[in-house]
Amino acid sequence: MIDDLTQLLDGLAAVLTPMNLLLALIGVTVGTAVGVLPGIGSAMTVALLLPLTYGLEPVQAFIMFAGIFYGGMYGGSTTSILLNTPGESSSVVTAIEGNKMARAGRAAQALATAAIGSFVAGLIGTTLLVLITPLMVAFAIDLGAPDYLAIMVLGFIAVSAVLGPSRVRGFAALLLGLVIGLIGIDKVTGQQRLTLDLPQLADGIDVIVVAVGIFAVGETLWVAAHLRRRSTEVIPVGQPWLGREDWRRSWKPWLRGTALGFPFGVMPAGGAEIPTFLSYTLEKKLSRRPEEFGKGAIEGVAGPEAANNASAAGTLVPMLALGLPTNATAAVMLAAFQTYGIQPGPLLLERESALVWTLIASLFVGNLMLLVLNLPLAPVWAKLLRIPRPYLYAGIVFFASMGAYAVNAQPFDLFLLLTLGLLGFAMRRFGLPVLPLIVGVILGPIAERQARMALQLSGGELSGLLGGALSYLIYAVVVLILVWPLLRRVLPRGARSEHTVG
């Protein structure tokens, strides 16, 4: 523990240099500005701004990237409160009460409790990240190829079967991602796979091009297809502040939301949707003024927003320790690591300890910067919402194209970007979730490598895919997830109702 804290302090010293502080400030400012824009969630923000980190040293890139990551989340609450337009599903609950508060003339208080709640949750969540990540690494470093493969399979099943309204659509999106991940030269046999004899595809499709195409271009095409002609109404914002009564009603929901959000972020089937809804329900039950819920209760903004940000901090634990993304933003962050030839996982803390601890330290610094930026500059961010939608999304397509071209400086990548953008549009049209596709692209090749390694060690015996007790436990959980809908049908109604109540 002492050694970890020493390395964290070394990382903090690396962040607190003038150049790195400037990069952190640029990251949080640009991340917030883009995150504020309607319809853009933190995952799309990170994917869109990834090319900004090209040309930087890895440590500098991830300092800036950490600011973009947290800034995108902060910006999403502004859109939810002022426009009732959540950038992603985890911000839906914030919009329920936040927009009601704004329409009642309390937009400043709603933005203030969201900003301060995000800061509190981010501070506590990042502290827990410091404490838990080394423990998970110590556990994971002894895992063999079969155990690691089992974890990957659990990740595939969790994002496909648990998250989203339809398992069939989830698995369909996962299959698309796995197919895209297979494109290129087989690392073992040297044979080309799914390249259509195009030399540009021999090295596969860069994950950044996939992320920007699916998120940015796909979302832009979807919004353009449903673009409303009338201008969007933006509620005016005063200077964000909280009175004594607002502080009294907010601080407990901040802490409860953090306690709910972080564990869900760590879990493979986590995400922020469940803890934000749980936080909202809990605050409604505990409130002395339950009649205000649905009309603009400040607790309904404070708790869910804290849960959302704590969950985001929690997602970094499995990403850094296991190389396992549990939401779309973490998946794009994993792609950023791979861009620099760095593979998150059990050995990351050993091989790239300075980078990891500097990244974590920059989360503390970026979180503080965001609080300082968001409170006084909230009226400025609100003015960004007045940008006409056609100009806004034309700009997004322009920057997405520039970013995709910057990856390899090949015009062919622009055709790939458009093709993937059309795929992203089609997925939204038919209700296919985006996260399983991104996870399939990133984890598919890793899972294939672990499976081949396990088979090589066992001499080609299929039993080699099963390791020790851990892999058996994980596969048992996978089977339970898959058969649970059938079990629910055969369970007596009384048992099901008791389970629901519990």
Side-chain angles (χ1 to χ4, degrees):
M1 181 63 68
I2 299 298
D3 185 51
D4 293 339
L5 291 177
T6 302
Q7 293 190 73
L8 178 62
L9 290 175
D10 291 340
L12 188 60
V15 176
L16 295 178
T17 60
M19 183 60 185
N20 289 344
L21 281 175
L22 177 61
L23 289 171
L25 181 61
I26 293 173
V28 298
T29 304
V30 176
T32 304
V34 177
V36 163
L37 298 174
I40 303 178
S42 59
M44 182 175 167
T45 303
V46 173
L48 189 63
L49 299 179
L50 261 179
L52 288 181
T53 61
Y54 291 164
L56 297 174
E57 294 294 323
V59 170
Q60 294 180 327
F62 280 98
I63 287 173
M64 187 175 177
F65 199 67
I68 293 171
F69 172 56
Y70 268 6
M73 292 186 303
Y74 267 72
S77 62
T78 302
T79 312
S80 298
I81 291 169
L82 298 183
L83 284 184
N84 198 25
T85 307
E88 52 192 349
S89 56
S90 58
S91 300
V92 169
V93 181
T94 302
I96 295 174
E97 300 297 331
N99 190 250
K100 293 288 195 308
M101 287 183 67
R103 293 185 180 281
R106 285 171 50 82
Q109 289 83 350
L111 289 171
T113 193
I116 299 172
S118 296
F119 171 77
V120 171
L123 181 64
I124 297 174
T126 309
T127 303
L128 292 173
L129 172 67
V130 172
L131 299 175
I132 292 176
T133 301
L135 299 177
M136 184 171 282
V137 167
F139 159 76
I141 203 165
D142 293 327
L143 298 178
D147 299 318
Y148 215 73
L149 175 64
I151 292 173
M152 297 291 166
V153 172
L154 176 60
F156 290 146
I157 299 300
V159 300
S160 303
V162 176
L163 305 179
S166 168
R167 289 176 168 230
V168 174
R169 293 185 178 123
F171 284 120
L174 175 65
L175 180 60
L176 286 172
L178 292 174
V179 170
I180 294 174
L182 287 175
I183 294 174
I185 296 176
D186 188 313
K187 298 296 189 296
V188 176
T189 65
Q191 299 293 316
Q192 292 192 14
R193 302 186 300 193
L194 305 175
T195 60
L196 304 176
D197 292 328
L198 295 173
Q200 295 92 335
L201 292 177
D203 290 331
I205 301 177
D206 194 281
V207 178
I208 302 303
V209 177
V210 177
V212 174
I214 295 294
F215 280 111
V217 180
E219 179 70 19
T220 299
L221 294 175
W222 177 251
V223 172
H226 298 81
L227 198 60
R228 294 177 297 181
R229 293 297 177 187
R230 63 184 180 85
S231 59
T232 305
E233 177 191 359
V234 181
I235 298 171
V237 180
Q239 192 60 46
W241 59 278
L242 288 179
R244 180 177 298 179
E245 178 66 12
D246 293 325
W247 276 99
R248 188 187 67 78
R249 295 178 60 179
S250 295
W251 72 271
K252 288 182 181 178
W254 291 336
L255 297 179
R256 286 191 289 259
T258 303
L260 282 172
F262 187 83
F264 275 91
V266 174
M267 291 189 297
E273 292 83 0
I274 297 175
T276 52
F277 277 101
L278 286 177
S279 175
Y280 181 80
T281 305
L282 179 64
E283 297 308 324
K284 188 174 182 179
K285 287 185 176 180
L286 296 178
S287 176
R288 296 178 180 177
R289 306 173 184 177
E291 69 281 356
E292 289 189 14
F293 278 76
K295 302 176 182 177
I298 194 168
E299 297 92 340
V301 178
E305 194 60 27
N308 185 13
N309 282 265
S311 174
T315 61
L316 297 180
V317 176
M319 190 201 73
L320 293 173
L322 300 174
L324 184 67
T326 59
N327 67 6
T329 309
V332 181
M333 288 190 71
L334 188 61
F337 274 96
Q338 293 181 344
T339 301
Y340 283 93
I342 300 170
Q343 180 57 55
L347 298 179
L348 177 65
L349 212 55
E350 179 182 327
R351 294 174 178 171
E352 302 283 349
S353 59
L355 174 64
V356 173
W357 289 111
T358 304
L359 169 64
I360 294 175
S362 68
L363 292 173
F364 285 106
V365 175
N367 201 32
L368 179 60
M369 284 182 172
L370 280 164
L371 181 66
V372 175
L373 276 175
N374 272 267
L375 286 179
L377 296 182
V380 178
W381 302 133
K383 289 181 181 179
L384 290 175
L385 299 174
R386 302 183 186 276
I387 298 176
R389 295 291 183 92
Y391 300 130
L392 168 63
Y393 284 98
I396 290 175
V397 172
F398 172 76
F399 285 112
S401 302
M402 292 292 290
Y405 183 77
V407 174
N408 298 309
Q410 291 185 358
F412 181 76
D413 284 342
L414 296 178
F415 292 102
L416 279 179
L417 183 73
L418 178 59
T419 303
L420 291 166
L422 292 172
L423 175 62
F425 172 81
M427 292 178 69
R428 288 163 174 80
R429 169 64 181 82
F430 295 104
L432 271 66
V434 174
L435 176 57
L437 182 143
I438 299 295
V439 170
V441 171
I442 295 174
L443 293 188
I446 301 174
E448 180 192 18
R449 185 170 67 248
Q450 297 296 335
R452 284 186 164 185
M453 192 182 304
L455 290 172
Q456 287 172 351
L457 292 173
S458 66
E461 294 291 334
L462 290 178
S463 59
L465 297 176
L466 297 174
L470 177 64
S471 63
Y472 283 102
L473 177 62
I474 292 174
Y475 284 126
V477 173
V478 168
V479 172
L480 181 61
I481 292 174
L482 291 175
V483 303
W484 177 246
L486 297 176
L487 290 177
R488 289 186 63 184
R489 292 182 181 180
V490 300
L491 280 174
R493 290 190 176 183
R496 281 192 296 179
S497 61
E498 288 179 12
H499 177 79
T500 303
V501 171

